[in-house]
Amino acid sequence: MTMNYIPLDKKKHQDTHVKVTNDFAHAKDTHLAAASIREYAQLASCMPIIFIKDPNSDTTHSIAMLGIEQGVNVFMKDGKWSGHVVPLNIQRYPFDVRPDGDKLAVFIDENSDLVGKEGEPLFTDGDASPFLDNRQKLLSDLANSELATRDFVNKIKELDLLDSIVIRVQYANGQQRNINGMQTISEKRLQALDTDTVADLHKSGYLGAMYAVLMSLGQLNRLVQLTQTSDNPVKSLQLQAEAPATEETPAPEAKAEKKKTAKK
């Protein structure tokens, strides 16, 4: 079913309820989820965090990898979320914060199976219910974290700390393919920063966030493990810097600095 987000309205949604569930079934076809700086430390213990550049807007986003194949979330098992961490952008559904005129407002997906006459009421006696109050707090925290994430990404771009990478996938059946279009933080250039810059990054909390991102790449092993019960299990994932551009094979310029391998 196609999502249809509309502004949350006290009059229109006065009798609307939302089912509360922890299976997060709406994310079963999601292999990438937006990740905000507030949750990097938690996400890094469960899934890889990478960066993707939007070619249309020249904006770089931080993303949590939920799978290797497009549309396949390996953290879903028997219709339920199996990971010990859930990205905030998945938790917030069926709500979202979006621009509405000159301000941000709460939106709701009126086509969601969670929205209807059953579950927690959104309003009681004309006021936001305790459930909606909690959801609005989550959305507010998420919106603030996304703004902080934007500043963080701008800083690492300013310091030229992003490298284009390739994930080379080897399947158990012998097939291979490359996953392109991603970036990560260059540990080599991060370690080469001057003392004053490192001190500023530490003071702002950015240094810890950068190392959380780098540590999260070890969770490629988890993605490999979670594919073993699928129709096309993965034998290994190999992460390396993208090769420099050539006339025959155009690609973003990058330096081959480090290789990480995840094996079954």
Side-chain angles (χ1 to χ4, degrees):
M1 183 180 296
T2 303
M3 294 182 180
N4 183 32
Y5 281 98
I6 61 173
L8 187 65
D9 182 89
K10 181 165 60 175
K11 293 182 178 180
K12 181 175 182 178
H13 298 109
Q14 60 180 336
D15 297 322
T16 300
H17 293 62
V18 172
K19 295 178 184 177
V20 178
T21 174
N22 292 323
D23 58 22
F24 303 106
H26 63 276
K28 65 182 178 64
D29 299 325
T30 302
H31 71 294
L32 300 174
S36 62
I37 190 171
R38 167 190 165 185
E39 55 187 332
Y40 281 175
Q42 290 78 21
L43 294 177
S45 70
C46 189
M47 59 197 64
I49 302 169
I50 49 91
F51 299 91
I52 295 179
K53 184 177 180 180
D54 184 343
N56 297 320
S57 64
D58 199 35
T59 303
T60 300
H61 305 277
S62 64
I63 302 292
M65 290 184 65
L66 309 180
I68 301 163
E69 308 294 337
Q70 186 170 356
V72 179
N73 183 345
V74 298
F75 288 95
M76 298 299 296
K77 185 176 182 180
D78 299 326
K80 297 182 179 180
W81 187 274
S82 64
H84 63 275
V85 178
V86 184
L88 293 177
N89 259 291
I90 291 178
Q91 292 186 44
R92 55 130 180 110
Y93 187 78
F95 301 99
D96 198 7
V97 175
R98 300 185 174 194
D100 185 18
D102 59 353
K103 62 180 180 179
L104 292 176
V106 175
F107 281 63
I108 187 170
D109 176 15
E110 64 175 0
N111 287 349
S112 172
D113 292 336
L114 300 177
V115 178
K117 298 297 183 181
E118 300 178 1
E120 295 286 343
L122 297 183
F123 298 95
T124 54
D125 299 325
D127 295 320
S129 66
F131 167 75
L132 182 56
D133 278 339
N134 287 333
R135 293 289 92 184
Q136 288 176 324
K137 183 179 185 303
L138 172 66
L139 291 168
S140 177
D141 290 345
L142 180 56
N144 289 332
S145 186
E146 287 176 342
L147 290 174
T149 306
R150 183 187 63 187
D151 293 339
F152 168 71
V153 172
N154 287 338
K155 172 56 71 172
I156 59 178
K157 289 171 65 178
E158 174 189 325
L159 295 173
D160 189 29
L161 293 178
L162 286 178
D163 269 345
S164 295
I165 56 174
V166 176
I167 294 180
R168 305 193 185 280
V169 186
Q170 183 175 355
Y171 295 93
N173 64 9
Q175 292 181 334
Q176 299 183 17
R177 75 181 180 95
N178 294 339
I179 303 176
N180 300 286
M182 298 177 296
Q183 297 176 306
T184 192
I185 293 170
S186 167
E187 187 173 7
K188 181 178 180 180
R189 293 202 297 278
L190 175 58
Q191 293 175 341
L193 293 176
D194 63 80
T195 303
D196 290 341
T197 300
V198 171
D200 289 341
L201 292 175
H202 176 69
K203 186 179 298 184
S204 66
Y206 288 172
L207 189 62
M210 291 178 188
Y211 277 105
V213 170
L214 288 170
M215 291 178 61
S216 78
L217 298 178
Q219 300 304 329
L220 288 168
N221 285 303
R222 186 183 297 270
L223 297 188
V224 171
Q225 294 165 358
L226 291 173
T227 68
Q228 299 312 301
T229 56
S230 69
D231 295 334
N232 195 17
V234 172
K235 181 180 180 181
S236 68
L237 296 177
Q238 185 183 81
L239 184 154
Q240 63 185 55
E242 195 168 63
T246 65
E247 291 184 3
E248 293 79 11
T249 310
E253 187 171 342
K255 296 180 180 180
E257 297 174 350
K258 190 170 183 180
K259 181 187 293 185
K260 297 178 182 286
T261 303
K263 297 183 179 178
K264 175 181 174 183

